[in-house]
Amino acid sequence: MTLLVNTTNVSFAPSSGNVVTAEGELLPVAAQIVLTLIIGTITIIGVPSNLLVIYIFSKIYRNSPTTINLMIVSITTTDFMLYTFGGPVHTVSYILGKWYLRTLRMPVLRIWVHFCSVASLSHLVVISIERYLVVKYNVKKDQRAFWKQLLLVSTAWLYAIFWAILPFFGWSSYELEGVHTGCAPKWVSREIIDTTYNITLIFTEFIFPLMVIVWAYWKLIRKIKEHNAHISVTNSSEQALIRGRMIMKSTTRLIVLMVGAYTFSWLPYSAICVWAMLVQKRDFPPLAAAVPALFAKSSVIWNPLIYGMKHAGFRNELAKLWERLRSKSQVRPNDKPKKPKVEFQEDEE
């Protein structure tokens, strides 16, 4: 049985058990199963892990209302929003081999995944700039008012909203991509209105954010190096020198993880989008668009790991939460507290 997938209907015809895309290419059932397992695993891991980070960092922010803590809550919220809604929908779409929610043809609902994805990227940019400015101006304690912190967070959200809603106002549009299990900009279109939008997206949603992140963290590393060099010249204590090297090593490790996760998630998808714009539509295999899209969707897993596990306060709160849950699980519901024994002694005459 073969599933014939197109943008308007689904039909069946005898076959050897492969899924046929609208472009007429066979998609092996094994590939469909693998894609379904991957997207399902990302959803199962991504939703609870992001929810956990939101919960713990909300507690951390109440005790330590710094900009970076609020930014972590915000970026994790974008990832949670993306997969709370998009994860189950895409998983079922891969299982069925089609985009089954016809009501999601409305432009507002089509831009959901695009908006959440770009919001996550823009948060990474704002965080990198904020971290650099903290080191550059030697900020000992974050004294920003809440409205200033909210302004930085809003900048990341508004940047994403701006680029995601442009098709709603007529600049290009969205269509089913790859094996028709999700929506995306019209990468394979040759229309000038689509091509200009696509080129703009490649720059504003991949090249430009990556350039800013690399620049900000390169400047940050230079500042830390200058600070360590100053400590060594002024004959500071050995303890200060060791602490400076530890900060340098920890910061470098964090930057490598961040840039590596960003590149791992978005480079394959950006590359395939450029390829789609350059080759003819008939030469563009639908499966080639589905696999890089999974890399991009995996970004919801890396952010909680990087920003959560590398944060000492998060690890402490997580350990406390684990101890509370373990202590509750060890208390049996039928166990009743024992009444203390009261001993009476006779008064001595």
Side-chain angles (χ1 to χ4, degrees), residues 129-258:
I129 296 174
E130 194 272 341
R131 290 292 84 194
Y132 165 65
L133 294 177
V134 166
V135 173
K136 179 180 180 181
Y137 295 106
N138 197 22
V139 179
K140 299 296 183 183
K141 187 177 180 181
D142 192 345
Q143 300 288 350
R144 288 192 185 96
F146 177 72
W147 71 269
K148 291 183 179 180
Q149 297 178 2
L150 200 59
L151 183 62
L152 287 174
V153 172
S154 301
T155 301
W157 287 93
L158 291 174
Y159 186 86
I161 292 174
F162 176 76
W163 293 111
I165 66 172
L166 286 177
F168 183 79
F169 295 99
W171 192 9
S172 188
S173 61
Y174 293 99
E175 67 177 1
L176 294 173
E177 70 168 347
V179 292
H180 290 180
T181 55
C183 292
K186 301 173 70 172
W187 299 111
V188 295
S189 174
R190 290 295 183 271
E191 299 292 332
I192 186 66
I193 193 171
D194 299 323
T195 303
T196 53
Y197 179 69
N198 295 339
I199 294 174
T200 305
L201 287 190
I202 292 296
F203 178 77
T204 58
E205 296 181 5
F206 178 73
I207 298 176
F208 174 71
L210 184 60
M211 289 172 59
V212 173
I213 291 172
V214 171
W215 173 83
Y217 283 122
W218 175 68
K219 297 284 286 185
L220 186 147
I221 289 177
R222 286 192 59 185
K223 279 292 177 182
I224 296 177
K225 283 184 176 180
E226 291 174 4
H227 176 71
N228 291 343
H230 176 73
I231 291 177
S232 60
V233 169
T234 54
N235 297 322
S236 299
S237 64
E238 184 68 21
Q239 185 177 1
L241 291 173
I242 295 175
R243 185 173 180 274
R245 295 191 192 101
M246 289 178 61
I247 293 174
M248 180 68 183
K249 186 181 296 184
S250 176
T251 304
T252 304
R253 191 183 301 118
L254 177 62
I255 292 169
V256 170
L257 287 173
M258 282 186 56

Side-chain angles (χ1 to χ4, degrees), residues 313-324:
F314 176 86
R315 295 195 299 270
N316 293 335
E317 288 293 333
L318 185 61
K320 292 178 183 177
L321 178 61
W322 172 254
E323 286 298 324
R324 288 198 300 269

Side-chain angles (χ1 to χ4, degrees), residues 329-344:
S329 64
Q330 290 176 350
V331 177
R332 298 177 182 177
N334 296 329
D335 289 348
K336 296 181 179 179
K338 296 180 179 180
K339 294 182 179 180
K341 294 181 179 180
V342 180
E343 297 181 357
F344 296 94

Side-chain angles (χ1 to χ4, degrees), residues 117-133:
S117 301
V118 179
S120 182
L121 297 179
S122 56
H123 274 80
L124 294 177
V125 175
V126 175
I127 289 174
S128 65
I129 296 174
E130 194 272 341
R131 290 292 84 194
Y132 165 65
L133 294 177

Side-chain angles (χ1 to χ4, degrees), residues 2-38:
T2 290
L3 178 62
L4 178 58
V5 181
N6 53 54
T7 57
T8 58
N9 53 57
V10 180
S11 61
F12 295 86
S15 76
S16 58
N18 293 325
V19 178
V20 181
T21 66
E23 285 77 5
E25 296 194 16
L26 290 176
L27 176 62
V29 172
Q32 184 188 9
I33 293 174
V34 170
L35 293 176
T36 302
L37 290 175
I38 293 174

